[in-house]
Amino acid sequence: MTPVYPPGVKRHMYLITALVLLSVVSLLVAVSTGSVTLSMTELWQAVRLPDGNASSLIVWDIRIPRALAAFLCGGLLALSGVVMQVLLRNPLADPYILGVSGGAAVGALIAITLGAAALWMTQAAFAGAMFSVLLVFGLAARSRHWSSTRLLLTGVVVSAGWGALINILLTTSTANTVQSMLFWLMGDLSQSRPNLWHLLILISGLAILLSQARHLNALSRGDLSAAALGVNVARLKLILYFSAALMTATAVTVAGSVGFVGLVVPHMLRLLGARDHRWLIPGSLFLGGSFLVLADTLARTIVAPQQLPVGVLTALIGVPLFLVILHRGYRQETL
Amino acid sequence: MNSPLLNVSELSLCSPGGILCEPVSLYLNAGERLAILGKNGTGKTTLLHTLCGLQPVTAGTVSFEGLDLRELSGQQTARLCGMLFQHEAEPMPATVYEVVMLGRLPHARQWHWESRQDHDIVQQSLKLLNLSSLATRDIHTLSGGERQRVAIAAVLAQQPRIFMLDEPSNHLDIAFQIQALNLLCERVSQDNTALIMATHDINLAARFCTHVLLLNGKGGYRFGETESVLDSATLSDAFECRVDMIVTPERRLFFPA
């Protein structure tokens, strides 16, 4: 009797199908709920005939852009979470661990302090994020062997530096600006409008990661093991680092620093059996996207008409989830 | 006359601490098995890593059937050399099956999924190391010896021209030490490949290897057929510890006195 191990393609297909369905459902829920709740028929009418009545305006001008922004952001964050966890070979890594969000926050807060318009705020956030990426990379890559530990330490230290700058900006600001700063820092989708660039970055990031998926499998076993299997580790890490950074910076400019999506989503999928990156990567996109869409729907309905920053909701859902996962992981290790 | 499967000439062995050994020259033909012996820190692992391209060749040449290692791509090298590491970090979750399947990576083409043949090879490797029943287990839940068998199964599935094994007997009980090395040696003669292993077990080296490279830690080395290199005087000198020898009808046994 030889136990034949099922390669698991079927199981993975079911998982991905379920996640695609979840994405569709979450988007429908997001578009139909809010101050005016629409039935599916009303929603269909409003989508099909944008004739300028109240519900079609709400759907087209407010809810659809916001839901898409949430999906895009969640997808980007989950994808770069997967990459960061492999790159640093640390299950606690998240998209922000290398200081991307700190840099973006400092950029955005400076723009807010100067009273700049929303457009300039996004530009400043993006510039801050990319500056932080280059800074961390430049500092960590000094020596030829940029080990994961070195990168991680550099990222954490640079993040701490950004944290201090953020606190300076917060404490020296007027009460008016502090609130918008706090919303930005916690992650907020109420002002978000996705554009073609964001979509383009998501699609190209996904394509790059999928093309490297088997190499990611090898890299998660260690740098040397991957190199011995013929992977060009230095090149792969460079590609991964910059695509993750670009995706995170994009997400941060769309919604501020939304926490927990990038950390928790890859772990949830791994626990569901998707450890192979050829499944984990598309799975993360769909699960991350729908997770943030649902969190944002809750954020704007739970204490309506007041809106909560979405980052609060992802943390509220993410913290217990993550603790459960950690506990499970702990039990596995001691088995 | 074909060039040997592996030809190393005047290769420098350097570590961050400095030069480990005078330039090494050796060759290995198909079907041959080489043991690298020497005290801790004499450069056994450095040599293995240099041979399979994980460390740059700073001086001297390494060539496989006349092809210079420096001209080969990572994937080409990985098809030639299958490396078994001494320590493997396993921080990310993966099943036994997935880890062994990674051995097929050097043979994979971009955008292609594993073929039926890849699955057959993996399942056969698992079976050879009595791992079939563990296939779906997470690597973290295995014992040290089981992990070592998983690593050996992965390198078997890689089907390299030269197996490069860093302490293959690590964590294995004596039965599995013999089983695993028998298996690898059979594979070597069957497929007309070769094997290099760094080890601390002189008796395993004497039993399974046709050639020995003995690094003496003082910058010198001896390379030759097992019979001619291994004797108690040479070993005692290299290990700075008296090594005695017993001759049994089957083989010679070495042990520290």
Side-chain angles (χ1 to χ4, degrees):
Chain A
M1 185 196 88
T2 47
V4 177
Y5 177 71
V9 171
K10 220 178 212 167
R11 198 185 147 183
H12 286 122
M13 286 293 235
Y14 290 145
L15 181 64
I16 295 289
T17 316
L19 291 173
V20 172
L21 285 177
L22 176 68
S23 308
V24 174
V25 170
S26 68
L27 286 170
L28 283 178
V29 169
V31 176
S32 58
T33 50
S35 52
V36 183
T37 304
L38 301 171
S39 71
M40 280 300 126
T41 358
E42 286 166 326
L43 178 65
W44 177 240
Q45 292 250 313
V47 170
R48 207 168 50 119
L49 303 165
D51 54 4
N53 67 23
S55 43
S56 83
L57 273 181
I58 291 176
V59 168
W60 276 107
D61 290 359
I62 300 172
R63 289 191 190 160
I64 289 183
R66 184 165 177 165
L68 287 180
F71 191 85
L72 202 103
C73 247
L76 286 168
L77 289 174
L79 285 180
S80 49
V82 169
V83 172
M84 281 301 173
Q85 285 166 7
V86 175
L87 194 62
L88 301 172
R89 230 158 296 110
N90 187 328
L92 293 178
D94 78 351
Y96 306 136
I97 201 154
L98 297 183
V100 179
S101 64
V106 170
L109 297 200
I110 289 176
I112 296 173
T113 313
L114 298 175
L119 177 70
W120 283 105
M121 214 173 88
T122 13
Q123 307 287 349
F126 192 77
M130 292 321 281
F131 174 73
S132 183
V133 168
L134 292 174
L135 183 70
V136 169
F137 184 73
L139 290 171
R142 265 292 159 77
S143 61
R144 238 184 62 84
H145 305 282
W146 54 294
S147 69
S148 302
T149 320
R150 197 182 156 89
L151 194 62
L152 186 63
L153 278 175
T154 315
V156 168
V157 167
V158 169
S159 296
W162 291 128
L165 286 181
I166 291 169
N167 285 336
I168 292 175
L169 286 165
L170 280 175
T171 45
T172 54
S173 299
T174 57
N176 270 352
T177 48
V178 164
Q179 175 153 25
S180 54
M181 285 180 171
L182 284 180
F183 259 72
W184 197 96
L185 286 175
M186 284 185 272
D188 175 35
L189 282 154
S190 56
Q191 308 298 325
S192 309
R193 290 287 173 274
N195 64 31
L196 214 57
W197 278 107
H198 303 142
L199 190 66
L200 202 68
I201 285 174
L202 178 72
I203 290 173
S204 43
L206 180 68
I208 290 170
L209 296 189
L210 280 178
S211 76
Q212 303 296 325
R214 277 188 90 170
H215 288 180
L216 276 162
N217 290 344
L219 193 66
S220 52
R221 305 262 61 83
D223 284 10
L224 271 181
S225 304
L229 292 169
V231 176
N232 185 339
V233 172
R235 204 194 83 190
L236 178 63
K237 281 181 150 185
L238 203 67
I239 293 174
L240 292 180
Y241 182 64
F242 279 98
S243 20
L246 196 61
M247 289 192 293
T248 310
T250 310
V252 168
T253 51
V254 173
S257 334
V258 177
F260 273 95
V261 181
L263 177 65
V264 170
V265 167
H267 285 301
M268 287 169 69
L269 285 165
R270 288 196 190 99
L271 283 177
L272 289 170
R275 284 166 307 255
D276 186 329
H277 287 83
R278 287 170 293 184
W279 299 108
L280 182 57
I281 287 165
S284 297
L285 170 67
F286 293 120
L287 187 58
S290 20
F291 182 69
L292 199 56
V293 169
L294 291 174
D296 184 51
T297 311
L298 277 178
R300 63 192 169 78
T301 52
I302 204 165
V303 287
Q306 181 105 34
Q307 300 205 353
L308 292 173
V310 67
V312 173
L313 261 294
T314 54
L316 277 181
I317 308 170
V319 168
L321 252 177
F322 193 67
L323 290 177
V324 169
I325 291 168
L326 259 186
H327 184 66
R328 263 190 78 160
Y330 179 70
R331 269 208 326 240
Q332 265 177 4
E333 264 168 51
T334 48
L335 263 178
Chain B
M1 175 79 198
N2 283 337
S3 29
L5 183 51
L6 171 71
N7 193 1
V8 175
S9 87
E10 301 287 313
L11 179 70
S12 295
L13 288 186
C14 305
S15 77
I19 292 170
L20 290 166
C21 187
E22 64 174 300
V24 175
S25 296
L26 61 88
Y27 60 87
L28 204 61
N29 289 306
E32 291 178 341
R33 304 177 296 272
L34 170 70
I36 306 175
L37 295 174
K39 289 203 307 182
N40 292 148
T42 47
K44 301 186 293 295
T45 300
T46 306
L47 176 59
L48 278 179
H49 284 196
T50 312
L51 292 183
C52 62
L54 296 176
Q55 275 183 26
V57 176
T58 46
T61 54
V62 176
S63 59
F64 299 99
E65 291 178 327
L67 296 169
D68 193 320
L69 174 65
R70 278 172 291 199
E71 315 265 299
L72 297 173
S73 73
Q75 193 181 33
Q76 286 170 318
T77 312
R79 286 178 186 175
L80 283 168
C81 308
M83 181 79 201
L84 175 78
F85 290 96
Q86 192 181 158
H87 316 282
E88 253 174 310
E90 298 284 359
M92 305 295 279
T95 62
V96 168
Y97 195 91
E98 287 163 340
V99 172
V100 176
M101 185 53 95
L102 277 177
R104 300 301 300 158
L105 186 63
H107 304 277
R109 284 193 292 160
Q110 182 74 17
W111 299 114
H112 281 241
W113 286 78
E114 294 89 357
S115 62
R116 184 69 244 169
Q117 191 202 4
D118 290 329
H119 285 292
D120 289 345
I121 290 169
V122 168
Q123 288 180 6
Q124 194 213 0
S125 308
L126 288 172
K127 208 169 143 194
L128 286 172
L129 286 144
N130 304 10
L131 290 166
S132 301
S133 58
L134 303 180
T136 54
R137 283 268 295 274
D138 192 287
I139 192 97
H140 287 111
T141 64
L142 302 184
S143 74
E146 286 166 336
R147 283 191 208 192
Q148 182 72 357
R149 275 151 57 203
V150 172
I152 294 172
V155 81
L156 273 179
Q158 197 175 339
Q159 299 187 328
R161 299 292 307 281
I162 305 179
F163 290 100
M164 305 220 179
L165 315 169
D166 202 350
E167 315 244 3
S169 56
N170 257 3
H171 304 296
L172 295 180
D173 63 45
I174 44 175
F176 267 121
Q177 290 184 8
I178 302 301
Q179 188 192 330
L181 283 168
N182 265 331
L183 199 70
L184 286 158
C185 292
E186 265 170 42
R187 189 60 75 85
V188 165
S189 51
Q190 229 174 60
D191 300 347
N192 218 20
T193 54
L195 176 152
I196 304 178
M197 66 180 203
T199 181
H200 284 295
D201 191 326
I202 303 166
N203 293 310
L204 282 183
R207 180 166 172 175
F208 289 103
C209 292
T210 57
H211 291 70
V212 169
L213 175 75
L214 179 67
L215 302 168
N216 70 11
K218 287 165 242 138
Y221 73 91
R222 281 195 60 188
F223 167 70
E225 288 181 13
T226 307
E227 296 286 310
S228 66
V229 176
L230 292 187
D231 60 59
S232 50
T234 320
L235 288 169
S236 304
D237 176 58
F239 285 97
E240 290 173 332
C241 153
R242 206 178 108 208
V243 178
D244 282 345
M245 179 174 83
I246 304 179
V247 183
T248 72
E250 282 163 330
R251 56 181 66 92
R252 301 183 299 167
L253 294 173
F254 299 90
F255 60 95

